[in-house]
Amino acid sequence: MTTTTSALGGAIRRREDPALIRGRGRYVDDIKLPNETAAVFVRSPFARAKVLSIDTSEALATDGVLAVYTADDLGDLGPLIAQLSFLPRPLLNGDEVKHVGEAVAMVIGENRYVAQDGADAVFVDYEPLTPVIDLKDSLSDRQLVHTGSESNTILSWAGPFGAEPEAQQAVKDQIEAAKQRDDAVVVSQEMINQRLIPTAIEPRRVLAEWSSGYGSLNVWSSSQIPHALAGAIAVSLGLRSTKVRVVAPEVGGGFGAKLNVYNDEILVSWAARHLGRPVRWTETRREAANSTIHGRGWVGTATLVGTRDGEILGYDFEGIADMGAYTQNFTVAIPLLGLFVASGQYKMPTYWKIDCVATNTMTTDAYRGAGRPEAMYYIERIVDMYAREIGMDPAEVRRRNFIAKEAFPGAVSPAGFAMDTGDYAKNLDALLDSADYASLKAERDAARAEGRYVGVGLATYVEVCGFAPSGLADMGFNWANYGLPTAFNGSGLVRVNPDATATVVIGTGPTGQGHETTWAQIVSDRLGIPVDDITVKHGDTGDSPMGIGTFGSRSAAVDGSATYEAADRVRKKAAKLAAHLLEASEDDIVFADGGAHVAGSPESKVGWADIATVAYQVHKAPAGTEPGLESEVFFTPSNATWPFGSHLAMVEVDPETGNVEILRYITADDCGNVINPMIVHGQIHGGIVQGIGQALFEDAIYDSDGNLLTGSLVDYPIPTAGDVPSFELHGTVTPTDVNPMGVKGVGEAGTIGSAQTIVNAVVDALEPLGVKHIDMPLRPRRVWEAIQKARG
Ligand code: MCN
């Protein structure tokens, strides 16, 4: 039994796009219910303040206002539950607010305008308190973020991961000893990995409808995790999980920010039940900036010791990560993801420590890459500085220190994690060959000779996707809070219908990754049913198998594998039925061209409709056949996948303005076997643009009073197509051994590889001036100042 056609690897155009680009997709705001009401939140203007009183009388007297809720009205609802809740967020704060934008009241009106009038009429009496904004201040505990707590440090992660503190100290001592060697070269740099605002095109929104007849709740939310959200609402509202249905229809970008359950989602659901009318909440762009999770926000010192010959003897990183005022879904786990990849592609002893501290700012959590871009930034910047220090080509230094291809499978990173597969030297060579590295450097040198500031920078990366094994989920995750199984599983249901079409139902929550296309390719590959005849459904907890959502570039490797195996099971059953119809042996059945035939005799053929008919009219099938032609599979990966790659940028800096222009951007990425190269390239494009956004433009700046100074798209510039060159994407293929398709994740790769590539290139461009480092974002003024300083 074989399949002779394969859609895997085909550059099939995204099936999602025709509806989306014509404006005919259905987002939460396109769903209208009769008798809707609107919610608006009253939010704190202070970063830290006691709430002395809240006067809602004027708001309640406003025409069209239906209800005003404060913490006092919520009874035993809340606080907001999360997977890793160390500092849980109150649903509404009636006690002491902890950041600007924290919700203190919710106003429901006949429409959004009167609800806003009502919110403006709520009078809150605050007593301002001194906030803690700076990370080092927070670490010192001079002032506490949470009155009554013992420390601002929530927890610390240290590596090698899993080693006893003494063993970790021994690694640190080993690195210290290396520094004392006569031939030691030590480079050390404190670097800021600034705070970022995720900025999806579609801000968050939620619509909830209580059905009193059935005692059930329907919720539409722009979410990456529909099942977790349904579970969280059910737990918070004391409902059975089957009484809450969450639908995430089209979602206009998520980037990790929609991987959280938010207080507004719980409160809107609760209010819909309380009022007996549908309630809608639509986030404004300012709310998106102030009250939806942020990303990054680290400061740390990377130190590298090596010899003059380019042998790295040790890497030490000590940092502080900003958690914000509360911890939400994965807040404290993000730095741990950094630890996973702390040592990059290299084999040197690695000591790594990060303190996770609270501040009076919005909570941080997963933002595309989540911990990995930060870790990769520090290691790749310091390796580059080391290469400059010893005067060796940065590509050569990297190559000399790679974990060897021979170490795989079974390689354990110096940071303490078992990796799947890797061939780093081959990948770097692919990049250098594609870029014609020697010519690029010659071009740069020629430009330099003309007095231009042209630079070539490169960086390698390794990342970790599709977190696994399942046991990892036991590491303090409160899955029970969301009514989810305690495992990083994937799921997929495949059904062949009587009309020869197939339906695939998955538990993912895509936000633009093209799952409707690639899942159809997976099933088409296994069954030989044309992609156009396969419908992929997702994002509806009412009809999809339990899934933990779309994040950590896990969907293809984990849910895709579940779907692959489900399709395989359907194929096995179909082979039996086809053999029965063709009076042949099951082993001789071949699937092709929308049906099955006997190997070598394509004329003795049955179509999928014939096979499905027998499956549903089971009296025509061999005795003992179970009716139906479908399978639902849960896939449990034995390990995460470890994609990797190398990026290179050529830039030119204008010394008069400090403006950075990216002349070329070339990559070699390796995400194992590729399901759809066009989608993979699209994912890498988007990822690189976000990395460039961090490198050159974006910065969430709080002033010392805790006001977000960059809370609008006027002062928080994000990159547009005009800011980036046409990317030149190449790659290698190193299949993983942890799933049947050999695929690794790719959704975050571009972001993880790019920011440091740009900074390395800019520093290279300014090398003639002796500039060694500039903190991101490299906006013109900052670059210009560095040039002025270097020129003395
Ligand atoms: N794919 C493939 N071959 C591979 C790997 C993946 O063809 N070897 C395809 C997959 O089938 C899928 C896409 O590439 O269609 C991404 O797959 P995967 O790497 O598994 O990532 P996820 O689908 O789990 O997406 C999550 C990832 C994350 S974590 C963020 S953040 C992110 C991202 O994807 N946010 C995005 N990409 C985004 N893209 C858009 N448009 N919008 C976002 O918010």
Side-chain angles (χ1 to χ4, degrees), residues 14 16 200 224 251-257 259 366-369 372 465 508 510-519 521-522 549-559 671-680 682-683 686-687 690 742-748:
R14 285 167 37 109
E16 291 83 345
Q224 295 172 232
V251 177
F255 310 114
L259 157 60
Y367 173 51
R368 203 170 193 171
R372 286 100 85 209
C465 296
T508 64
T511 56
Q513 293 87 349
H515 291 187
E516 287 171 36
T517 307
T518 44
W519 264 249
Q521 289 181 257
I522 295 171
T550 288
F551 57 92
S553 302
R554 61 181 301 284
S555 305
V558 189
D559 295 271
C671 60
N673 289 331
V674 166
I675 301 169
N676 183 328
M678 193 187 286
I679 285 185
V680 162
Q683 286 291 303
Q690 274 175 312
V743 299
K744 302 187 180 193
V746 77
E748 296 157 289

Side-chain angles (χ1 to χ4, degrees), residues 14 56 61 100 125 302 320 364 377 394 402 451 492 503 594 623 639 652 695 774:
R14 285 167 37 109
T56 60
V100 169
D125 192 8
I320 316 171
T364 60
Y377 180 75
F402 282 154
T503 304
N639 193 2
E652 177 157 9
I774 312 175

Side-chain angles (χ1 to χ4, degrees), residues 5 147 150 219 227 279 310 322 328 333 346 366 408 425 447 504 533 557 559 618 645 672 680 778:
T5 52
T147 305
E150 283 177 8
V219 179
H227 281 278
V279 180
D322 194 345
Q328 289 191 200
Y346 312 112
F408 298 97
V504 182
D533 291 343
D559 295 271
V618 79
V680 162
L778 306 186

